[in-house]
Amino acid sequence: MPKAATRQHIIEAADRLFYQQGFEHTSFADIAENVGISRGNFYHHFKSKDDILDAVIAQRLTNTRDMLDQWEAAEDGPEERIRRFIQILIVNQTKILRYGCPVGTLCGELAKLGHPAQAEARELFTLFRTWLGYQFTRLVGPDQADELAMHLLARSQGVATLANAFHDEFFVDQEVKQLCEWLSTQVAKANLEHPTVT
Amino acid sequence: MPKAATRQHIIEAADRLFYQQGFEHTSFADIAENVGISRGNFYHHFKSKDDILDAVIAQRLTNTRDMLDQWEAAEDGPEERIRRFIQILIVNQTKILRYGCPVGTLCGELAKLGHPAQAEARELFTLFRTWLGYQFTRLVGPDQADELAMHLLARSQGVATLANAFHDEFFVDQEVKQLCEWLSTQVAKANLEHPTVT
DNA sequence: GTCTATATAGCGATAGAC
DNA sequence: GTCTATCGCTATATAGAC
């Protein structure tokens, strides 16, 4: 098998396992078993476990950028795009109930480990923050855009954390509904203040 | 030193280290160094690491119950008590920026480990959920009480997660202010519907 | 490029002296 | 009740055959 393909398999298995079991709790043996190669073979592709983590985060960054670009390319307005972000909680509900949010839980774990990849992982949040901020800028103007982006990110994180702890999908539905209402309220408020926008 | 005192020292050190470094990442050597005893001495007080975790969670449950009882005994109304809960984010701001929420991060880690103590850890959330639900019942009636309690818990968790990821205390202040406003809105809404309450 | 075998270190846990 | 010494296991990482 070509080197790039095996490398990619390792990244995908590690990505999945880091999410499901946590970074530290996932061993080379776990990943090797998942990929179907031997432990020793890892070091032909990566020089350390931290190296695999870097590759996993880089992969997630790429995937997230692609997703946000696609959402940007679709023929939706900013409000509909933000609604699409909120819907992640529904689309990924099963995984979130089991493992929480991939971004939030990774950042949390790396913070406790004092791991050097913290900044890279945080960049995943920044990607969403910037993208949401851009949508809010067009929706309600630039003044409160970042504040609203962070607020929405925080609400999503909180829902994921409690949904994971209580395994409660009804709660997710309830909160998603409220988030959609909150978004409508923000749009209405902006339209009152600047009737020309939108 | 009497047995109970050493045991208590171990629990306190483990509690602190599990919070700061995570459960799995904290070794017996770490705890031993912190307490000032040898590794071998542990097993006179606990039969396993999971046993220490159980004791730590039990301790946190006791402390949390005591705190909520004290808040209940104070001469505040339900609104003021809920505001006191929100203020945890300010009071513990420094720790939250560094290590996140002690309850949320523990539940998250144990979920990834598939650890049997998950249910016990979740009980910490339930303690706040029930207490907040009780306050909301008196504030706006029983129908929406649990929903509001879960909503507030989720908002707090989200703030803690993002505050930890971005190390942003200004964001915490901002969100706490919004949470207080949200609470006032809930009270006002309830007073409109049931003018006799409060 | 993938394998087996192994080095090295740290972990949780145990045994037994004091 | 606390210690030292050590077991058994698993982890990351390396060396070298194929």
Side-chain angles (χ1 to χ4, degrees):
Chain A
M1 189 175 301
K3 183 168 179 178
T6 301
R7 188 188 151 91
Q8 189 59 26
H9 288 156
I10 293 173
I11 292 174
E12 280 163 15
D15 187 9
R16 190 170 54 249
L17 289 169
F18 288 174
Y19 175 42
Q20 295 174 349
Q21 311 183 340
F23 167 68
E24 195 175 32
H25 190 60
T26 299
S27 69
F28 278 80
D30 292 332
I31 305 174
E33 191 185 13
N34 242 267
V35 178
I37 58 170
S38 73
R39 272 149 292 161
N41 193 9
F42 274 104
Y43 297 85
H44 189 72
H45 303 276
F46 300 95
K47 73 173 199 291
S48 69
K49 193 182 178 186
D50 287 353
D51 230 46
I52 299 183
L53 177 61
D54 287 341
V56 166
I57 294 175
Q59 176 80 253
R60 289 195 192 181
L61 284 169
T62 301
N63 291 345
T64 305
R65 280 195 201 95
D66 288 350
M67 182 183 72
L68 295 178
D69 284 349
Q70 280 179 29
W71 289 2
E72 198 67 31
E75 293 188 11
D76 295 323
E79 184 179 352
E80 205 49 49
R81 285 181 188 137
I82 295 170
R83 234 170 269 275
R84 203 150 175 176
F85 168 80
I86 295 170
Q87 289 297 323
I88 298 179
L89 288 167
I90 303 291
V91 175
N92 296 338
Q93 197 171 43
T94 308
K95 288 180 184 174
I96 290 171
L97 287 178
R98 279 206 216 173
Y99 315 114
C101 168
V103 182
T105 55
L106 179 64
C107 285
E109 180 178 1
L110 297 183
K112 301 238 183 220
L113 300 183
H115 198 284
Q118 273 177 86
E120 282 300 300
R122 177 174 51 236
E123 192 63 23
L124 285 161
F125 268 137
T126 304
L127 234 45
F128 284 104
R129 178 182 186 169
T130 306
W131 185 86
L132 285 171
Y134 179 55
Q135 309 305 326
F136 276 116
T137 296
R138 291 196 286 164
L139 205 57
V140 306
D143 292 356
Q144 287 191 302
D146 182 60
E147 183 179 335
L148 292 173
M150 282 292 279
H151 178 81
L152 179 50
L153 266 183
R155 293 272 289 266
S156 310
Q157 283 301 306
V159 173
T161 302
L162 282 200
N164 180 229
F166 287 106
H167 306 296
D168 185 344
E169 54 187 277
F170 176 73
F171 165 72
V172 177
D173 295 339
Q174 204 171 53
E175 286 289 321
V176 164
K177 200 179 152 199
Q178 280 190 45
L179 276 172
C180 288
E181 288 167 8
W182 168 83
L183 180 58
S184 300
T185 307
Q186 296 301 318
V187 174
K189 207 195 293 179
N191 286 346
L192 273 177
E193 289 167 10
H194 308 287
T196 53
V197 181
T198 329
Chain B
M1 188 174 301
K3 184 170 180 177
T6 302
R7 187 189 151 89
Q8 189 59 26
H9 287 155
I10 293 173
I11 292 175
E12 280 163 14
D15 187 10
R16 191 169 55 249
L17 290 169
F18 289 172
Y19 176 40
Q20 295 174 349
Q21 310 184 342
F23 167 68
E24 194 175 31
H25 190 60
T26 300
S27 68
F28 278 76
D30 291 332
I31 305 173
E33 192 185 11
N34 242 267
V35 178
I37 59 170
S38 73
R39 271 149 293 163
N41 193 10
F42 273 105
Y43 297 87
H44 189 73
H45 302 276
F46 299 95
K47 73 173 197 293
S48 71
K49 195 184 178 186
D50 287 352
D51 229 46
I52 298 182
L53 176 62
D54 287 341
V56 166
I57 294 175
Q59 176 79 256
R60 288 196 193 180
L61 283 168
T62 301
N63 291 345
T64 305
R65 280 195 200 96
D66 288 351
M67 183 184 72
L68 295 178
D69 284 349
Q70 279 177 31
W71 289 2
E72 197 68 32
E75 294 188 11
D76 295 324
E79 183 178 353
E80 204 51 48
R81 284 181 189 139
I82 296 170
R83 233 169 269 277
R84 204 150 173 176
F85 168 81
I86 295 170
Q87 289 297 323
I88 296 180
L89 287 166
I90 304 291
V91 174
N92 296 338
Q93 196 170 45
T94 308
K95 289 180 184 174
I96 289 171
L97 287 177
R98 281 205 213 174
Y99 314 114
C101 168
V103 182
T105 56
L106 179 64
C107 286
E109 181 178 2
L110 297 184
K112 300 238 185 223
L113 300 183
H115 197 285
Q118 274 177 85
E120 281 300 299
R122 177 174 51 237
E123 191 63 24
L124 285 161
F125 268 138
T126 303
L127 233 46
F128 284 105
R129 177 183 187 169
T130 306
W131 185 86
L132 285 171
Y134 180 56
Q135 309 304 325
F136 276 117
T137 296
R138 290 196 285 163
L139 206 55
V140 306
D143 291 356
Q144 287 192 303
D146 183 60
E147 182 180 337
L148 292 173
M150 282 292 279
H151 178 82
L152 179 50
L153 266 183
R155 294 273 289 268
S156 309
Q157 282 301 305
V159 172
T161 302
L162 282 199
N164 178 230
F166 286 106
H167 306 297
D168 185 342
E169 53 188 277
F170 176 73
F171 165 71
V172 177
D173 295 341
Q174 207 172 49
E175 286 288 322
V176 164
K177 200 180 152 199
Q178 280 191 45
L179 276 172
C180 288
E181 288 167 9
W182 168 83
L183 179 58
S184 300
T185 307
Q186 295 302 320
V187 174
K189 206 193 294 179
N191 286 346
L192 273 178
E193 289 167 11
H194 307 286
T196 52
V197 182
T198 331

